[in-house]
Amino acid sequence: KAGVTQTPRYLIKTRGQQVTLSCSPISGHRSVSWYQQTPGQGLQFLFEYFSETQRNKGNFPGRFSGRQFSNSRSEMNVSTLELGDSALYLCASSPQGLAGASYEQYFGPGTRLTVT
Amino acid sequence: GEDVEQSLFLSVREGDSSVINCTYTDSSSTYLYWYKQEPGAGLQLLTYIFSNMDMKQDQRLTVLLNKKDKHLSLRIADTQTGDSAIYFCAESSNAGNMLTFGGGTRLMVKP
């Protein structure tokens, strides 16, 4: 099976712009989660989508949003970019576990976003 | 809120065993994970353990869980230079697929 794929791998944007990142989960996985990784804050959960619905949300401002399509592919959008949004954005996919709990989450290689 | 703590750095000699430790605060943690991240790469799932287990072994990897002390460890037997990476401990509760990560432990393996 192909792994989680993320596009683009690298991105440079200017403050104030917006950006859309894409994630294709492992075939058959219905849950997609997004994480932000920075040297200062480490790995932080952004949100999770399951069956096109946001199921969990982390503590990020409304400038960060996402969606999931019927084929489970997901996109995340960041509007009005700030310098502090520079980070590695990681997507993870998971099969549905018992009672909605996760047991295996597989990460993609990430999108490195640089905001200048 | 939930917190996961790890030591920052560990250095071992090739062929020795490595033990990476992690503590967590959320008593409702259901699954506990170990991930490996190499430079410029995403996270590789190494292993995970369910909270009703004490130990899990998978080839060179042994995970020990002390639920009373909320302490998790990852032992890598016969550590190789290719094991040099950052290792992250993570936990999730029954709230769904939301992982809380520790800050990562950088493992350096000296030949």
Side-chain angles (χ1 to χ4, degrees):
Chain A
K1 271 186 181 178
V4 178
T5 58
Q6 292 188 245
T7 56
R9 292 293 311 278
Y10 303 92
L11 206 48
I12 300 174
K13 289 286 189 179
T14 304
R15 266 183 304 175
Q17 288 186 315
Q18 75 162 14
V19 67
T20 299
L21 312 181
S22 180
C23 171
S24 292
I26 293 170
S27 178
H29 287 193
R30 295 164 65 192
S31 165
V32 174
S33 300
W34 289 89
Y35 293 81
Q36 182 196 64
Q37 186 177 26
T38 60
Q41 299 298 316
L43 281 152
Q44 294 185 286
F45 172 79
L46 280 156
F47 28 64
E48 181 217 359
Y49 287 87
F50 177 79
S51 292
E52 302 178 65
T53 301
Q54 188 180 86
R55 188 159 66 171
N56 287 296
K57 188 177 190 307
N59 189 25
F60 277 81
R63 300 185 297 107
F64 292 81
S65 62
R67 59 178 175 167
Q68 187 181 33
F69 301 95
S70 58
N71 62 357
S72 294
R73 190 178 69 85
S74 176
E75 288 180 348
M76 69 162 279
N77 185 77
V78 189
S79 62
T80 320
L81 283 165
E82 300 177 0
L83 294 178
D85 297 333
S86 293
L88 181 66
Y89 289 88
L90 293 162
C91 164
S93 79
S94 176
Q96 175 64 12
L98 292 173
S102 67
Y103 51 96
E104 295 172 10
Q105 286 202 39
Y106 297 93
F107 282 79
T111 294
R112 171 78 59 188
L113 172 65
T114 302
V115 182
T116 62
Chain B
E2 302 86 358
D3 198 18
V4 181
E5 299 281 345
Q6 296 178 243
S7 52
L8 285 176
F9 188 75
L10 176 65
S11 177
V12 300
R13 293 220 169 267
E14 192 174 19
D16 288 350
S17 291
S18 307
V19 179
I20 303 171
N21 294 301
C22 168
T23 58
Y24 59 98
T25 58
D26 188 359
S27 56
S28 66
S29 294
T30 307
Y31 297 96
L32 296 129
Y33 303 81
W34 285 103
Y35 283 90
K36 175 184 179 183
Q37 187 175 38
E38 296 181 87
L43 299 175
Q44 175 192 353
L45 175 63
L46 291 176
T47 186
Y48 62 92
I49 189 168
F50 188 55
S51 59
N52 68 355
M53 298 168 65
D54 298 323
M55 186 183 90
K56 182 178 181 181
Q57 189 155 0
D58 185 0
Q59 299 182 329
R60 293 190 298 124
L61 306 179
T62 303
V63 178
L64 294 177
L65 174 61
N66 181 326
K67 197 173 179 183
K68 174 176 168 288
D69 294 338
K70 298 190 183 71
H71 181 268
L72 182 74
S73 67
L74 173 70
R75 178 177 178 269
I76 306 173
D78 187 26
T79 314
Q80 302 297 307
T81 54
D83 294 324
S84 293
I86 300 176
Y87 290 80
F88 291 93
C89 165
E91 64 87 23
S92 72
S93 67
N94 284 329
N97 292 339
M98 177 179 136
L99 295 179
T100 300
F101 283 89
T105 299
R106 183 178 295 276
L107 174 65
M108 178 181 288
V109 183
K110 297 179 181 176

